[in-house]
Amino acid sequence: MKRLAILGATGSIGTQTLQVVDAFPGQFQVVILAGHSNWQLLLRQACQYHPSCVIITEPSAYEKFKQENADKQLVVLCGMSGVLQALEQFPVDMMVGAMSGAAGIEPTLKALELGIDLALANKETLVSGGSLVRRAQQKSGAQILPVDSEHSAIFQCIEPNSSCLHKILLTASGGPFRTWNKEQLSQVTKEQALKHPNWSMGQKITIDSATLMNKGLEVIEANWLFQVDYDHIQVLVHPQSVVHSMVEYGDGTVLAHLGKADMRIPIQYALTWPQRQGNPFPKLDFTQLAGLEFFAPDYEKFPALALAYDVGRTGKSAPAILNGANEVAVAAFLQDKIGFMDIPALVAQVVGCHNPIEIESFAHLIELDQWARQQAWQYVQQHQ
Ligand code: NAD
Ligand code: MG
């Protein structure tokens, strides 16, 4: 049985990970479950999966959980220190990184340090702390299996030992506002932005998908995961979300990964790799497809994507600044403090004020991340 730690268990990826666990009885053992504030769901999950340890990172939710929990065998811990303690104390074979945002960096580094393989959904960790993650991985030799659907697709299309990988074709649905003009984009409400046409996801990534910042973060994620330079990562808008990404080889061959827009498929692949196993989830019916379209993205209407390319090319601390500023911008938009098009403008402004430097340590990264967040909140205050 593969022993799992699932961080972000109450979120979209976390709950779908548990559906994959359900689909393979006897194959996985849930040892650690961590969530932030939804203690009720975490309690139900604990009753169903009987983990050894549950961590609630939000202190008041932790208190509630402790009051309601009747299982005296269950170890219940609080905060990020609780997550780190659990990873040290309870042996697992794989950690599913499904927290949202930069909160995922510290446990990711801890897991790698302990030699625990990672099923990584939390792209912000790679964008912000890519150099630290890579260093920790090289040191321990632990595997990082991508969960992000595009990166799982690319991972599956990359032939081992191929010497002529030419480029990555990273597909993007284009989000709900693909066909909107600039004037309409400036009026977007959070209710409109929270409705993604093809995927049901957490709020942060749904807003990122609408601004195309998500695709920008994924370009940087692809650079870290596959060591392909930015000139050879091409974003293609593909509104049907059937082709999850492609890899082009030097001989002109293109390998594509197709399937239903169902995150359980890449989650399962990460959990069962290197095996591919049958599952009961719905399959793609080609006779129901009206057609597959591919377009170049509109960088002018969606400046976040161009900004992420620039920042990725700059490297060093620049992507960490972009990520921190973007997390604040999305939170401010969801609180009706700034408009939709202020999101990329805010991030560009904060990135523009920063002089990129090498990230030396985790503590250094946190300092940089905090600086970006402070600058971003200042921008929010000035534009209210
Ligand atoms: P979500 O908002 O549904 O869930 C986030 C989870 O993280 C929750 O369990 C929450 O309790 C936890 N969390 C939030 N803030 C936290 C904090 N400060 N400390 C500790 N835990 C915290 O998000 P999601 O859609 O499941 O996305 C999770 C990650 O996976 C993100 O990085 C996202 O970019 C990535 N991802 C998601 C999808 C998808 O389809 N949902 C696809 C690809 C990648
Ligand atoms: Mg994705």
Side-chain angles (χ1 to χ4, degrees):
M1 282 229 269
K2 193 177 258 188
R3 297 164 302 177
L4 299 178
I6 306 175
L7 311 192
T10 53
S12 162
I13 293 291
T15 50
Q16 291 180 87
T17 301
L18 289 169
Q19 289 175 28
V20 172
V21 168
D22 295 342
F24 296 93
Q27 205 165 317
F28 301 104
Q29 184 191 355
V30 178
V31 176
I32 298 173
L33 284 175
H36 190 57
S37 52
N38 189 350
W39 62 271
Q40 298 96 330
L41 177 55
L42 212 44
L43 195 57
R44 288 200 296 278
Q45 291 176 342
C47 291
Q48 186 175 348
Y49 295 96
H50 305 290
S52 307
C53 179
V54 163
I55 310 103
I56 304 100
T57 38
E58 206 280 308
S60 62
Y62 163 76
E63 293 301 335
K64 287 262 169 38
F65 186 101
K66 283 238 296 195
Q67 276 166 23
E68 300 295 324
N69 171 44
D71 180 355
K72 298 296 163 226
Q73 302 295 312
L74 181 65
V75 177
V76 186
L77 301 173
C78 181
M80 187 52 74
S81 58
V83 175
L84 304 179
Q85 184 190 329
L87 288 172
E88 281 187 353
Q89 198 176 331
F90 299 94
V92 294
D93 303 299
M94 175 170 266
M95 182 185 106
V96 180
M99 288 168 155
S100 63
I105 298 171
E106 201 174 7
T108 300
L109 292 174
K110 172 58 93 183
L112 289 173
E113 197 186 294
L114 294 166
I116 299 168
D117 290 341
L118 272 177
L120 193 61
N122 177 235
K123 64 194 85 183
E124 293 92 340
T125 281
L126 278 176
V127 171
S128 199
S131 58
L132 301 178
V133 169
R134 193 142 188 87
R135 216 181 299 157
Q137 184 198 10
Q138 281 170 346
K139 218 167 159 187
S140 73
Q143 290 283 342
I144 300 183
L145 285 316
V147 167
D148 214 348
S149 58
E150 297 79 359
H151 303 75
S152 174
I154 295 159
F155 181 69
Q156 293 175 60
C157 290
I158 289 184
E159 295 171 337
N161 309 319
S162 168
S163 59
C164 70
L165 190 152
H166 185 233
K167 72 176 175 190
I168 284 173
L169 296 153
L170 193 69
T171 53
S173 71
F177 311 124
R178 183 175 61 86
T179 58
W180 290 33
N181 63 32
K182 273 188 170 175
E183 171 60 30
Q184 291 170 307
L185 284 173
S186 65
Q187 308 295 325
V188 165
T189 65
K190 72 176 177 203
E191 288 75 21
Q192 290 167 327
L194 283 171
K195 277 196 201 116
H196 193 278
N198 304 349
W199 303 91
S200 161
M201 311 177 284
Q203 289 202 338
K204 190 304 182 147
I205 183 175
T206 304
I207 301 301
D208 283 346
S209 298
T211 59
L212 292 204
M213 181 61 89
N214 181 53
K215 210 46 58 179
L217 300 178
E218 290 186 358
V219 167
I220 300 173
E221 183 186 12
N223 170 265
W224 279 117
L225 283 172
F226 307 114
Q227 303 291 294
V228 171
D229 65 61
Y230 289 95
D231 292 342
H232 293 91
I233 302 173
Q234 181 185 352
V235 172
L236 275 181
V237 175
H238 166 49
Q240 292 78 21
S241 296
V242 168
V243 176
H244 297 311
S245 275
M246 304 182 263
V247 172
E248 183 186 289
Y249 290 91
D251 66 348
T253 298
V254 177
L255 296 185
H257 178 289
L258 285 75
K260 274 194 105 60
D262 182 342
M263 282 309 294
R264 293 173 300 183
I265 299 169
I267 294 170
Q268 179 194 318
Y269 192 73
L271 261 54
T272 64
W273 180 86
Q275 282 173 18
R276 190 185 297 284
Q277 288 180 239
N279 65 31
F281 309 143
K283 306 291 184 282
L284 190 61
D285 178 356
F286 279 81
T287 64
Q288 298 303 307
L289 297 179
L292 301 179
E293 299 166 293
F294 300 94
F295 311 104
D298 188 331
Y299 291 98
E300 223 187 288
K301 275 198 319 188
F302 298 100
L305 182 55
L307 180 65
Y309 263 106
D310 281 351
V311 159
R313 286 190 169 99
T314 303
K316 297 184 179 173
S317 52
I321 301 300
L322 170 117
N323 183 68
N326 182 56
E327 287 194 30
V328 169
V330 172
F333 172 69
L334 287 171
Q335 293 165 25
D336 296 315
K337 290 188 192 312
I338 60 170
F340 183 71
M341 290 309 287
D342 290 327
I343 299 174
L346 181 162
V347 179
Q349 169 123 352
V350 176
V351 165
C353 294
H354 175 70
N355 234 338
I357 41 170
E358 289 298 347
I359 298 173
E360 284 152 20
S361 62
F362 174 66
H364 188 204
L365 174 57
I366 294 302
E367 231 175 79
L368 290 159
D369 178 73
Q370 290 303 326
W371 179 85
R373 285 168 202 266
Q374 273 162 15
Q375 297 291 310
W377 279 121
Q378 269 177 26
Y379 178 104
V380 172
Q381 271 153 16
Q382 285 158 10
H383 286 78
Q384 265 186 293

